């Protein structure tokens, strides 16, 4: 990135300590009006974009206006513009609400989604909300990029029903026989609890291994997938510093890579350290708000897009933004001023009191308990949230951040309450919580300070030397007894949920080859 201009006047040694809101202001001032004018006209471009992409629900972020070529309307025929990057997400009630999101490479007129009971009967038509996103040239090596994200919220759906859908715009109608291959499908949650499977991982990015994991996930026939942050790595540094740059085009590659799964399976994401992109909004989440529509319900859905909860059958899922409490990467530490943690306490209490909820699964990015040489454990997560997980009887916690598979014994108060070898059952009520690091989704793998130990290759150790991050950003060494399974390889979680008098979470870790490397069962 270019050096700060005298008008900004912030030395680099001070810039390195900036919070995300300070970085946002810093970047806007550094690039300034001159940089924006290079990317496109401020007034005419925005007006033209509104007309091109307009729909009744179209809105644009005030911090991410659309800078669209004013002549595009006369040059681009909608029949030549194909949608891509489709991904689904539940609305606030998975039984009756679903959001369809997608992308177009160029501005289009009147985008919409068609939905119906059969691929050849897409009679219901819903207009799409448009969220254009402009990224200036953040470094000499990166071009300015304009992206166009579209979202349609489907409501009043029937529980337990398969729907077919297609996305389009003027000139490209998914109901046309020429485009029948673009029609997808989804199934709403059932009205009553029944067995199902969900999958989870973190730290995916764009790679062959990420693609391989996606295909094995699809083979599990999951009803939803959890992505625990560090989604695509457009920001390859991820340290939350002003020197971080992000290549917005990587998001296009990621959404195209993920489409074969995410267009059928609701892809429920939360935020990691690589997902903070300061240019777009004061807390770095303007890009995520443009690209994803997630259930409302957190302390502030606009500022905290990765904080929400939903219930599918007898399982409640809670997504958190661990950037808010991290001791390791502090650019967004404390940005909700405690609101997220207060919301978590209240929401977990409500869910535990719900008689229809058997299990509570929480997922977020930074690890409460991990032993890798790269990031290990975040003391901020331990301090803020682990006591709440114990208090409200959470049944399973899933993290990413460390690019491996690792899981703990059953913990209570941060200590081992009961050992859980491969294949064992554990009562979350009597024995405590198992914490799983599922960060082997596709990015380069990390390593452990001790040998791996996994199904078919068990090498139990009484203790593992490691560390955790402290409030002053330092590493405090510790020797722990809770690291039960360690696998250095690309992998993900598959969780089979049962119902009835004795419901279970049957948790398996699968390598990208489909080989099982761990399994255990959680009961209540």
């Amino acid at each position: 990135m270019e050096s700060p201009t005298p008008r900004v006047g912030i030395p680099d040694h001070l810039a390195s300590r900036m919070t995300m809101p300070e970085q946002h202001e810093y970047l806007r001032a550094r690039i300034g009006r001159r940089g924006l004018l290079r990317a496109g006209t401020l007034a005419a471009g925005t007006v033209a974009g509104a007309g091109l992409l307009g729909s009744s629900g179209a809105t644009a972020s005030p911090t991410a206006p659309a800078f669209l070529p004013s002549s595009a309307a006369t040059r681009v025929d909608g029949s030549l513009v194909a949608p891509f990057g489709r991904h689904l997400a539940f609305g606030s009630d998975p039984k009756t609400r679903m959001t369809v999101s997608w992308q177009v490479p160029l501005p289009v007129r009147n985008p919409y989604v068609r939905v119906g009971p059969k691929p050849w009967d897409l009679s219901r038509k819903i207009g799409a909300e448009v969220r254009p996103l402009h990224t200036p040239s953040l470094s000499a090596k990166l071009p300015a990029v304009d992206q166009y994200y579209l979202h349609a919220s489907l409501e009043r759906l029937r529980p337990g029903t398969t729907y077919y859908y297609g996305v389009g715009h003027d000139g490209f109608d998914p109901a046309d026989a020429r485009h029948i291959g673009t029609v997808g499908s989804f199934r709403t949650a059932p009205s009553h609890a029944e067995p199902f499977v969900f999958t989870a991982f973190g730290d995916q990015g764009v790679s062959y291994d990420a693609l391989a994991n996606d295909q094995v996930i699809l083979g599990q026939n999951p009803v939803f997938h959890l992505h625990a942050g560090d989604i695509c790595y457009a920001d390859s540094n991820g340290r939350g510093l002003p020197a971080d740059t992000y290549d917005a085009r990587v998001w296009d590659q990621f959404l195209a890579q993920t489409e074969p799964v995410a267009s059928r399976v609701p892809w429920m994401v939360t935020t990691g350290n690589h997902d903070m992109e300061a240019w777009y909004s004061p807390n770095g989440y303007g890009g995520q708000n443009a690209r994803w529509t997630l259930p409302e319900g957190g302390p502030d859905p606009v500022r905290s897009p990765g904080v929400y909860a939903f219930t599918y059958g007898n399982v409640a899922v809670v997504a958190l933004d661990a950037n808010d409490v991290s001791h390791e990467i502090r650019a967004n530490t404390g940005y909700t001023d405690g609101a997220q943690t207060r919301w978590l306490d209240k929401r977990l209490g409500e869910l535990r009191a719900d008689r229809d909820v058997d299990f509570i699964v929480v997922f977020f990015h930074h690890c409460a308990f991990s032993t890798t040489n790269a990031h290990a454990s975040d003391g901020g997560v331990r301090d803020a949230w682990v006591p709440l997980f114990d208090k409200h009887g959470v049944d399973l916690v899933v993290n990413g951040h460390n690019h491996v598979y690792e899981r703990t014994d059953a913990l209570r108060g941060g200590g081992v309450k009961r050992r859980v070898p491969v294949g064992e059952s554990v009562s979350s009520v009597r024995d405590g919580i198992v914490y799983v690091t599922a960060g082997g989704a596709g990015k380069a793998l990390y390593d452990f300070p001790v040998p791996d130990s996994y199904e078919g290759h068990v090498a139990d150790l009484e203790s593992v030397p490691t560390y955790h991050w402290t409030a002053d950003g330092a590493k405090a060494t510790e020797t722990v007894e809770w690291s039960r399974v360690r696998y250095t390889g690309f992998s993900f979680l598959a969780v089979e949920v049962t119902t009835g008098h004795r419901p279970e979470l049957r948790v398996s870790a699968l390598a990208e080859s489909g080989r099982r490397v761990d399994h255990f069962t959680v009961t209540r």
Side-chain angles (χ1 to χ4, degrees):
M1 295 173 67
E2 61 189 275
S3 300
T5 63
R7 181 167 57 84
V8 179
I10 302 177
D12 286 343
H13 74 281
L14 294 179
S16 66
R17 305 174 192 172
M18 286 180 175
T19 64
M20 198 58 57
E22 290 170 338
Q23 290 182 45
H24 174 69
E25 183 178 354
Y26 176 54
L27 283 172
R28 293 268 159 170
R30 276 179 72 168
I31 295 172
R33 183 179 177 88
R34 175 174 52 86
L36 295 181
L37 288 172
R38 284 199 303 266
T41 58
L42 281 168
T46 304
V47 171
L52 272 172
L53 285 157
S55 70
S56 59
T59 61
S61 166
T63 57
F67 296 91
L68 312 181
S70 58
S71 59
T74 59
R75 291 204 313 255
V76 179
D77 183 337
S79 66
L80 305 177
V81 180
F84 72 100
R86 296 170 301 164
H87 51 286
L88 303 171
F90 289 133
S92 57
D93 182 359
K95 296 190 296 295
T96 61
R97 296 184 176 186
M98 186 75 73
T99 297
V100 180
S101 303
W102 69 100
Q103 191 173 355
V104 287
L106 295 167
V108 296
R109 294 184 183 276
N110 301 316
Y112 59 84
V113 61
R114 286 189 178 273
V115 63
K118 301 293 181 181
W120 55 86
D121 181 10
L122 305 178
S123 55
R124 187 175 170 189
K125 187 176 180 181
I126 299 97
E129 176 189 358
V130 180
R131 301 177 197 166
L133 193 67
H134 173 74
T135 308
S137 176
L138 295 171
S139 79
K141 297 181 180 180
L142 295 175
V145 176
D146 287 297
Q147 294 165 308
Y148 313 105
Y149 298 100
L150 307 131
H151 305 261
S153 295
L154 310 181
E155 301 180 354
R156 299 187 298 278
L157 302 173
R158 294 180 179 179
T161 302
T162 296
Y163 287 90
Y164 295 84
Y165 75 94
V167 298
H169 50 261
D170 285 0
F172 187 101
D173 189 343
D176 190 309
R178 294 174 299 172
H179 304 310
I180 190 68
T182 68
V183 174
S185 66
F186 61 82
R187 186 173 178 83
T188 53
S191 56
H192 301 289
E194 59 186 41
F196 66 91
V197 173
F198 72 89
T199 52
F201 61 34
D203 305 81
Q204 188 176 21
V206 180
S207 70
Y208 171 83
D209 299 291
L211 182 63
N213 257 344
D214 281 354
Q215 300 313 304
V216 182
I217 283 172
L218 194 57
Q220 311 309 307
N221 195 28
V223 299
F224 60 83
H225 177 75
L226 306 180
H227 194 313
D230 281 7
I231 300 170
C232 85
Y233 289 80
D235 175 358
S236 59
N237 186 29
R239 300 302 302 178
L241 301 175
D244 288 7
T245 58
Y246 18 95
D247 186 346
R249 299 169 299 176
V250 177
W251 281 103
D252 299 348
Q253 295 174 297
F254 174 83
L255 291 171
Q257 168 191 273
T258 309
E259 182 175 17
V261 188
S263 61
R264 310 183 202 181
V265 179
W267 207 257
M268 311 303 292
V269 306
T270 190
T271 48
N273 53 292
H274 284 268
D275 303 319
M276 297 185 291
E277 298 169 329
W279 165 260
Y280 302 114
S281 65
N283 290 301
Y285 299 144
Q288 183 156 330
N289 276 324
R291 297 176 177 109
W292 305 89
T293 295
L294 299 165
E296 296 182 358
D300 185 339
V302 175
R303 293 175 58 226
S304 310
V307 184
Y308 56 91
F310 67 90
T311 299
Y312 189 105
N314 61 337
V315 174
V317 178
V318 179
L320 300 174
D321 177 12
N323 291 318
D324 183 28
V325 297
S326 176
H327 284 345
E328 179 193 6
I329 299 170
R330 306 181 61 82
N332 256 346
T333 302
Y335 81 98
T336 72
D337 195 26
Q340 179 179 198
T341 299
R342 292 189 295 272
W343 171 84
L344 174 64
D345 191 10
K346 180 176 182 291
R347 193 72 185 104
L348 288 178
E350 294 168 345
L351 292 171
R352 186 45 70 206
D354 188 337
R355 294 184 179 182
D356 293 328
V357 171
D358 290 323
F359 298 104
I360 300 175
V361 176
V362 180
F363 76 110
F364 52 92
H365 189 63
H366 304 62
C367 296
F369 301 99
S370 181
T371 64
T372 72
N373 292 315
H375 296 297
S377 306
D378 198 311
V381 172
R382 290 186 185 178
D383 293 345
W385 294 343
V386 167
L388 296 181
F389 300 156
D390 288 341
K391 172 184 174 182
H392 295 291
V394 168
D395 300 285
L396 180 67
V397 176
V398 179
N399 302 137
H401 202 40
N402 287 289
H403 301 179
V404 292
Y405 175 80
E406 184 175 19
R407 76 156 170 87
T408 69
D409 289 319
L411 306 184
R412 187 74 75 202
V416 176
K417 183 75 181 298
R418 182 176 179 272
R419 289 183 58 174
V420 186
V422 173
E424 288 291 305
S425 292
V426 56
S427 167
S428 53
V429 176
R430 181 180 63 252
D431 302 322
I433 305 169
V434 174
Y435 291 76
V436 178
T437 299
K443 289 299 288 185
L445 297 168
Y446 294 165
D447 61 354
F448 294 104
V450 295
D452 284 7
S453 179
Y454 55 89
E455 186 168 348
H457 184 79
V458 175
D460 277 334
L461 295 174
E462 292 301 317
S463 62
V464 176
T466 183
Y467 66 91
H468 67 270
W469 294 91
T470 64
D472 59 359
K475 298 178 180 180
T477 58
E478 60 182 355
T479 299
V480 303
E481 300 176 352
W482 41 253
S483 179
R484 185 53 48 201
V485 177
R486 296 173 300 279
Y487 173 71
T488 306
F490 299 105
S491 59
F492 64 94
L493 281 188
V495 182
E496 180 184 355
V497 181
T498 70
T499 61
H501 181 61
R502 294 182 178 178
E504 296 179 337
L505 299 178
R506 299 170 182 170
V507 185
S508 297
L510 302 178
E512 64 175 327
S513 64
R515 178 169 60 98
R516 192 174 67 184
V517 295
D518 185 27
H519 72 286
F520 63 96
T521 300
V522 178
T523 64
R524 286 195 65 81

